[in-house]
Amino acid sequence: ARLVALARTEAGAWLRQALRRDGKGSLDLEAKLSNISKQIDAELSILSHGEERGESKELSEAMGAALGRPDGLSLAAVKRDRITMVAHLVSRVREVLAENS
């Protein structure tokens, strides 16, 4: 809904122009998606080597208590879910771009 509303504004017009594929656009969307993919890989790598301790452990326990989970909430799982969501979004954007080219 936000994108539809944005499309009718000056910002929407600018965005359409910036994303043009004829070389006249000012944004290289494929390069940006590639950079995001690299960041996703780096974040997952960092996440797989870490553990919750110190303030992260306290935050995990507090969030777990607030959600009624006495054993705490895995911040690593929450972070992994968010990273996975972004990865799916990047994938979907690439699919849409491929369909429209």
Side-chain angles (χ1 to χ4, degrees):
R2 290 180 184 159
L3 288 176
V4 172
L6 177 65
R8 297 183 183 124
T9 66
E10 289 181 28
W14 176 86
L15 189 57
R16 280 191 300 280
Q17 178 63 30
L19 293 174
R20 289 182 63 173
R21 292 177 153 225
D22 59 5
K24 297 179 183 177
S26 59
L27 293 177
D28 184 353
L29 188 57
E30 189 54 46
K32 292 201 178 294
L33 291 173
S34 179
N35 287 338
I36 292 170
S37 292
K38 290 176 188 173
Q39 183 66 29
I40 289 168
D41 292 340
E43 295 286 340
L44 286 173
S45 177
I46 291 169
L47 192 58
S48 67
H49 292 86
E51 62 181 59
E52 293 176 5
R53 58 181 174 257
E55 291 178 356
S56 291
K57 184 162 180 60
E58 290 176 24
L59 179 60
S60 170
E61 290 169 353
M63 289 175 67
L67 295 172
R69 296 182 181 177
D71 57 339
L73 180 70
S74 170
L75 293 181
V78 171
K79 290 175 185 177
R80 186 175 310 281
D81 288 345
R82 292 181 72 194
I83 293 167
T84 301
M85 180 183 64
V86 172
H88 286 297
L89 178 60
V90 168
S91 176
R92 182 62 186 132
V93 168
R94 284 194 168 136
E95 287 174 12
V96 169
L97 289 174
E99 290 170 2
N100 293 319
S101 61

